[in-house]
Amino acid sequence: MAVTIYDVAREANVSMATVSRVVNGNQNVKPATRKKVLECIERLGYRPNAVARGLASKKTTTVGVIVPDISKSYYAELSRGIADVATMYEYNIILSNSDKRATREVELLEDHLGKQVDGLIFMSDSLSDEIRSEMATANVPIVLAGTLGADTDLPTVNIDHEEAAYEAVKKLIDNGHERIVHVSGPMSRDINRLCKKVGYERAVKEAGLPLFEEFFIETDNTYDDAYEKWSVIRELKEKPTAIFAGNDEIAVGVLNGIRDDGFSVPDDYEVICFQHTLLSRAVRPQLTAIIVPLYDLGAVSMRLLTKLMNGEEVDDVNVILPYHKEDRQSTK
Amino acid sequence: MAVTIYDVAREANVSMATVSRVVNGNQNVKPATRKKVLECIERLGYRPNAVARGLASKKTTTVGVIVPDISKSYYAELSRGIADVATMYEYNIILSNSDKRATREVELLEDHLGKQVDGLIFMSDSLSDEIRSEMATANVPIVLAGTLGADTDLPTVNIDHEEAAYEAVKKLIDNGHERIVHVSGPMSRDINRLCKKVGYERAVKEAGLPLFEEFFIETDNTYDDAYEKWSVIRELKEKPTAIFAGNDEIAVGVLNGIRDDGFSVPDDYEVICFQHTLLSRAVRPQLTAIIVPLYDLGAVSMRLLTKLMNGEEVDDVNVILPYHKEDRQSTK
DNA sequence: CATCAGTATGTATTCGCTTTCTTTCATTAT
DNA sequence: ATAATGAAAGAAAGCGAATACATACTGATG
């Protein structure tokens, strides 16, 4: 049987309230008493039961993190940012994978709330109606990390993907390209449909270039699918000269397609993408990319959440973090 | 204020015990009563408080996962395996990063035990004495995933790294190489010092080849460090003709070093490594590699843990999973 | 119709801690 | 010396569920 606060109290000849005070750093304890209690705690190997504490105090010092897939480095990196700030503020993290399935997301949200998390960080592509209403009834703060949701009143932390996409495509246009293919992730995702694609189109239109429907190539966001899609790109009516990829995994798929087919980057095709992983730097040629500050997205989200959990006033709950572009060898 | 089991009981005109029975699927409830209670639960939006439940039942349906760094795809992949099986058995996961710091590991273990996890999965390189004794006093099962520890009585799930390393190096030897460099991760890690290096040496010795001390190159396990180390390798007295790398990130670092220096793989150097990520396949030439079944390591660890938590008999608590070698373009 | 065996439901306790409310006691000011 | 003040410590009431135990109800049986 585990040692309880009663055992310590008996051993130290004080009441459990006093032990509780010592454990929680309450100042109203005589130094001598504190010392005595501390010794007993040490001697008995007492370890406070966080569950009992949680029930009594209605705080669990635990936050929920619902992530599409932790095995994807995008989310793994982001989660690390969350975790580090959580540690800093002494929170634990309950981590669950949703695979972006709306029903699963709702289940997990319910589940986490049932576990009495003090707050929650949610990541996904788009917010289903069910999840929205579920979130609305939650009685703890929820932050959307790297997830569109400014239309709700939920706090969010993001980068300006549309502007970043615009800047990336603009770069290719400035390099003289007039026919740029956009190899995208699934259109079902808001971030692709409402941000990256929009930025791409804005840059193309603004430059007075024609917008070919066939230049829009959708993938399932995997390396292998992108690799396959090269065979589609090479058969296009209009011959493109540059590629704007939704992320580096896609970009590398296309890049390898291009090169395995005997073409050269950046001579035959220039390539630019969003960077989520080491891949951009590890391939040859290294990819020019928009660097997404994943770790920071997570860290800032968690920091925001701590403020919210603390009831602190937050002036702007829709945070936009800066990104930057790094020119490497896949563009000239 | 949240809806409690009392509220439901009052609303449904039954005792809280009955509500509890309904919620927990106890069969001794008249169907009509069950229906009535279920309706009230729905109507009031009652959601059982897992903390209270945990206190009363002494089970939290939560397991702790202590991982060095979730942002590393090695651990991210492994964790996903854990998470999926955890979901299957309806466990939540508390995930913490240790950065392999022994003191932090002990803290986290304490912390998780305080949170009353029903079991724990631990990953690290080596087990410090403190963590060993801490684990010995834990009153819940602990499984070491991808972590050496068969010398303790703790359950483990692993692959045979030594044999895998042996097989990899053997392949290079069979291809005619006599001077093979081993680019390793830090020697402080048991897995490098006691497994991979040992397998390397065994293969070399067994083939009657000389074992050059300078052929052993230690890195900090990062791409960048490995990339730098190429300049060391090229200056070696004895000129190597093949590389055995501890993992694919290292391998790609060396690979890029080789190629940026104007040499060719596999013509000038053959390369083989352990595969942890997509990197092995995404670079050109693709890397011949030992495929480590990371997801399975996690999944099997969690499955083992569920058995242990259930008090089931487990015949062998030291599980060794199979790996396989995939021949690609970095070897002939 | 009384009896017994289930079945269905209720009552009361317990889990280990926080927290409020008291009470006790030591200081200080008057 | 005494009242006022505040620090130190204790007593007791929850927190929201699970659960052991008690009790009421239901039929089937003889």
Side-chain angles (χ1 to χ4, degrees), chain B residues 5 15-29 34:
Chain B
I5 200 170
S15 73
M16 54 170 304
T18 297
V19 178
S20 176
R21 287 189 187 98
V22 171
V23 169
N24 293 296
N26 186 312
Q27 283 310 301
N28 283 357
V29 180
R34 179 186 312 281

Side-chain angles (χ1 to χ4, degrees), chain A residues 72 185-186 219-227 247 249-250 253, chain B residues 278:
Chain A
K72 296 277 197 293
T219 72
D220 66 4
N221 242 357
T222 64
Y223 168 82
D224 290 310
D225 191 30
Y227 186 81
N247 65 46
E249 187 170 335
I250 292 179
Chain B
L278 173 64

